[in-house]
Amino acid sequence: MHDLLVSQAGRSIQSHFGLSATDYKVLAELTRASDDRLRVLELAKVLGWEKSRVSHHIARMTKRDLVDREECADDGRGAYVRITPTGRVALETAAPQHVADVRRLFLDHMTPGQTAILAEIADTIIEKLESQQ
């Protein structure tokens, strides 16, 4: 179910705005961070990706001016990934469609009671998984 939902929502964002589902996810995570930037390893952890996958994806997004890399002043080996003004506009433009897609593809098919039960189940699983990290 998750993969099907992500695939369909991703196709919608791609066709309307030229952003892949992974582009959208990276941009959204960067805007949640202070200063709209994260270290590459922090971004990898938040996304649940390997560092090499993040590096390759960030390189593609940099070519499209959605993000840029900034060297860490205090650590010559590290780098920050930062959302650019172009990336922010792309995310803000696509966000209403993404919200509409989540509602149309997922939330509209459940009763309020089912939504509450699903939220309770999700909270329990997330709590257990985070305690294992």
Side-chain angles (χ1 to χ4, degrees):
M1 178 186 75
H2 174 266
D3 292 346
L4 186 58
L5 288 168
V6 169
S7 175
Q8 288 191 18
R11 277 196 300 272
S12 175
I13 294 296
Q14 180 75 49
S15 68
H16 288 96
F17 304 101
L19 291 175
S20 70
T22 51
D23 292 339
Y24 187 91
K25 189 172 184 177
V26 168
L27 295 173
E29 291 300 337
L30 290 174
T31 61
R32 288 184 187 106
S34 63
D35 299 330
D36 293 336
R37 68 182 190 168
L38 288 169
R39 290 187 65 145
V40 173
L41 286 175
E42 292 172 317
L43 183 58
K45 183 178 180 183
V46 168
L47 296 171
W49 296 356
E50 296 294 323
K51 183 181 178 228
S52 62
R53 179 179 178 192
V54 172
S55 295
H56 290 295
H57 196 80
I58 294 307
R60 290 189 296 274
M61 291 179 74
T62 299
K63 289 179 185 176
R64 295 167 43 220
D65 192 36
L66 297 171
V67 299
D68 60 21
R69 290 177 64 99
E70 175 185 309
E71 298 305 315
C72 294
D74 57 332
D75 179 4
R77 296 174 295 143
Y80 287 100
V81 178
R82 182 179 55 198
I83 189 169
T84 63
T86 301
R88 180 170 299 285
V89 168
L91 179 67
E92 289 173 354
T93 303
Q97 180 67 47
H98 178 70
V99 170
D101 289 339
V102 169
R103 287 189 187 285
R104 177 180 56 84
L105 296 169
F106 186 65
L107 295 173
D108 289 349
H109 302 290
M110 294 188 296
T111 66
Q114 289 171 321
T115 303
I117 291 169
L118 181 60
E120 182 181 336
I121 293 167
D123 288 345
T124 299
I125 292 170
I126 289 168
E127 181 182 314
K128 296 296 183 192
L129 292 174
E130 286 179 343
S131 71
Q132 295 174 8
Q133 289 184 347

